[in-house]
Amino acid sequence: MEVSKIMKLLVFSDFDSRLKWGLTLAHYIADMFGKVVVYHREDTLRQVEGYISKDYIIKHYDNRKKLLEREDIFGDFDVIILAMGGTENIYFLNQLSKYFRKHHKRPVIISGMNGLTDCEDMHALLSRIGADIICINSKRNFDVFRERLQYFGITNENLLMFGYARIYKNDTKMVSNIQNGQVMLFIGQANMPSQKKQYKYLMNKIREYASKHPKNTIIIKNRDITHKDHMNAYFKRKEIFQLWRWKYRFQKKPNNLIVSNESIEDLLDRADVCLGFYSTALLEAINLGIPTLIINDFGIGRNIGNHDFIESGLLASLDDWIDNKIPSVNQQWKDENCNFVTRREIDQLRNMLINKLKEDRKEIEQYYSEKKFPYFYFKN
């Protein structure tokens, strides 16, 4: 089936990596549509400039509730990429159900997880039930989610083993052996470390590395939180990598330390070693062949975020990093957990989408419906 060029695609998102994920999916299927519109809430698009085509129509919105009450959001588009956080999917799908009951038509909905997802966290999947296609990031998550849905009596036919969606300048990166004059990329998270003792410890270790390896450059990738409603905005004031904290603790920031808000794609292209507590960007580094260390100094568990890497072989200490003892990844773990989109998955998505467009659309069946889970719709 040839998809008509007059068809319209909407990317509905809000912030950060979710917006990047939605734009990446749009990149894979945009040629199937005559018009692509992107709704977002970011104050600046500098982190996703490489993901936006000049042909896209970009629109900013402030109030999700008011926007979804407009019928043109559902009526003007044939396909919607829903690139939102878990609970936001519930509200969107609920409004879509109301639209269908009134007009007896609706667009095809593509949803999915934008980043690293704990496969024991069923809320991430259940909040998206109702979408026509749900993209899953890893083989392990796909297998676990598909099996768990049986316990809930939910069909798994809408799940697509897709992989992590990213756009790179280069498909692969050649990395030389660890030696002086290299770039160490520290990938930060807004909520880790979370304690004063932890950030003091980490700052001392970074300073120790900078002193021992003066020819190496340490680049700290900050989370670029530019909007007050971003889910991590609360943690921003605690972030250890703000430059004033270095002045307060040490009077002077090490000369070979850079705090950067550059895009992760550009930073990964320069990195020789990556380290951090948890992040999808660490999976990207592993996928690109960059030696990677997952910090275990503060323990191993969900509260740290590094529990997803337990079987990776990459858990190590900051002292190991200082001594250039960078672990190697467990290949079996990598094969099951570090899956990135290839042409094969893109073709599967496109074919699945064409089939969905052929079908007569019915009212969506949310798991978190208003009847079964009234809490989500309770107005405080």
Side-chain angles (χ1 to χ4, degrees):
M1 171 185 175
E2 288 294 329
V3 179
S4 171
K5 284 295 183 181
I6 64 171
M7 297 187 82
K8 299 176 183 177
L9 171 68
L10 171 64
V11 177
F12 191 83
S13 189
D14 49 9
F15 306 114
D16 196 39
S17 57
R18 295 185 293 277
L19 177 57
K20 183 180 289 185
W21 180 83
L23 290 168
T24 305
L25 259 66
H27 173 77
Y28 297 149
I29 63 175
D31 65 315
M32 300 170 70
F33 299 88
K35 185 177 183 180
V36 178
V37 178
V38 179
Y39 273 95
H40 72 94
R41 293 189 63 194
E42 286 283 13
D43 288 337
T44 173
L45 295 174
R46 64 174 177 265
Q47 292 289 322
V48 295
E49 287 177 345
Y51 288 73
I52 299 175
S53 167
K54 61 180 177 59
D55 297 322
Y56 293 176
I57 299 171
I58 309 297
K59 296 186 178 184
H60 183 275
Y61 72 98
D62 291 314
N63 189 305
R64 179 260 305 159
K65 181 179 179 181
K66 290 183 179 179
L67 185 61
L68 293 185
E69 288 174 350
R70 289 169 35 188
E71 293 192 344
D72 61 318
I73 289 294
F74 303 119
D76 286 357
F77 297 94
D78 302 281
V79 176
I80 297 178
I81 296 172
L82 183 53
M84 303 288 284
T87 303
E88 289 293 310
N89 286 268
I90 299 173
Y91 303 138
F92 184 97
L93 294 171
N94 179 255
Q95 286 297 122
L96 178 59
S97 289
K98 293 178 181 179
Y99 176 85
F100 182 88
R101 287 194 292 269
K102 181 178 179 181
H103 297 281
H104 306 288
K105 65 177 183 177
R106 66 173 179 85
V108 172
I109 305 297
I110 304 174
S111 186
M113 294 76 170
N114 60 281
L116 189 63
T117 304
D118 184 349
C119 59
E120 299 299 326
D121 177 15
M122 285 301 295
H123 178 73
L125 177 60
L126 293 176
S127 62
R128 292 169 169 86
I129 295 298
D132 298 284
I133 301 174
I134 304 175
C135 299
I136 308 299
N137 287 333
S138 72
K139 292 179 181 178
R140 173 167 169 73
N141 281 8
F142 182 73
D143 290 341
V144 172
F145 283 154
R146 188 169 53 174
E147 182 178 351
R148 294 280 169 83
L149 284 183
Q150 296 178 11
Y151 294 110
F152 292 91
I154 302 172
T155 179
N156 56 30
E157 292 178 355
N158 291 348
L159 299 190
L160 173 63
M161 172 48 223
F162 194 57
Y164 292 96
R166 293 293 187 271
I167 301 173
Y168 298 108
K169 296 176 182 176
N170 303 307
D171 292 333
T172 57
K173 177 180 174 66
M174 299 301 294
V175 180
S176 57
N177 295 326
I178 297 170
Q179 58 187 4
N180 286 340
Q182 294 196 326
V183 172
M184 306 288 118
L185 177 58
F186 192 108
I187 299 172
Q189 284 286 0
N191 59 344
M192 178 52 61
S194 59
Q195 302 171 17
K196 187 175 181 180
K197 178 181 177 181
Q198 290 175 341
Y199 73 65
K200 183 178 180 181
Y201 175 91
L202 179 56
M203 290 168 73
N204 275 289
K205 290 298 181 182
I206 291 174
R207 186 170 178 83
E208 184 179 343
Y209 183 95
S211 176
K212 185 173 181 179
H213 305 280
K215 293 184 179 180
N216 284 3
T217 300
I218 307 164
I219 300 178
I220 295 173
K221 165 58 178 171
N222 246 346
R223 289 297 299 271
D224 194 19
I225 299 171
T226 62
H227 195 287
K228 63 181 177 62
D229 289 336
H230 190 285
M231 63 182 294
N232 286 328
Y234 169 78
F235 300 106
K236 188 68 176 176
R237 61 185 176 84
K238 297 183 177 182
E239 204 161 42
I240 72 158
F241 302 127
Q242 296 177 38
L243 295 182
W244 69 266
R245 292 195 185 278
W246 287 95
K247 184 176 181 181
Y248 172 71
R249 289 290 176 187
F250 298 119
Q251 300 302 314
K252 184 179 180 182
K253 179 176 67 69
N255 291 330
N256 54 340
L257 171 67
I258 299 170
V259 180
S260 174
N261 277 325
E262 293 177 71
S263 72
I264 188 63
E265 292 82 6
D266 288 340
L267 291 175
L268 286 172
D269 199 43
R270 294 156 54 191
D272 294 292
V273 174
C274 285
L275 67 156
F277 296 95
Y278 71 96
S279 174
T280 307
L282 293 168
L283 289 177
E284 294 181 60
I286 296 167
N287 180 59
L288 293 170
I290 304 171
T292 301
L293 184 149
I294 310 300
I295 300 169
N296 66 6
D297 292 59
F298 304 150
I300 301 168
R302 278 189 175 85
N303 62 320
I304 307 298
N306 56 12
H307 63 292
D308 287 309
F309 294 89
I310 287 177
E311 299 176 17
S312 69
L314 299 177
L315 290 163
S317 69
L318 289 165
D319 283 337
D320 290 327
W321 173 52
I322 292 168
D323 293 336
N324 278 339
K325 297 177 181 177
I326 310 300
S328 298
V329 66
N330 177 336
Q331 188 61 45
Q332 182 178 347
W333 177 91
K334 181 181 177 182
D335 291 342
E336 295 175 354
N337 295 272
C338 191
N339 311 114
F340 281 73
V341 175
T342 67
R343 185 70 241 178
R344 177 175 176 270
E345 286 77 34
I346 295 171
D347 289 341
Q348 287 178 338
L349 172 63
R350 291 166 68 96
N351 291 334
M352 193 171 182
L353 177 56
I354 289 172
N355 289 332
K356 293 291 182 181
L357 287 166
K358 289 180 182 178
E359 297 173 358
D360 291 331
R361 257 147 271 162
K362 302 177 181 179
E363 183 176 352
I364 64 170
E365 296 182 12
Q366 279 185 274
Y367 182 77
Y368 287 135
S369 66
E370 197 165 356
K371 182 178 180 180
K372 291 195 300 182
F373 290 87
Y375 163 75
F376 289 113
Y377 308 93
F378 178 73
K379 296 180 179 179
N380 190 2

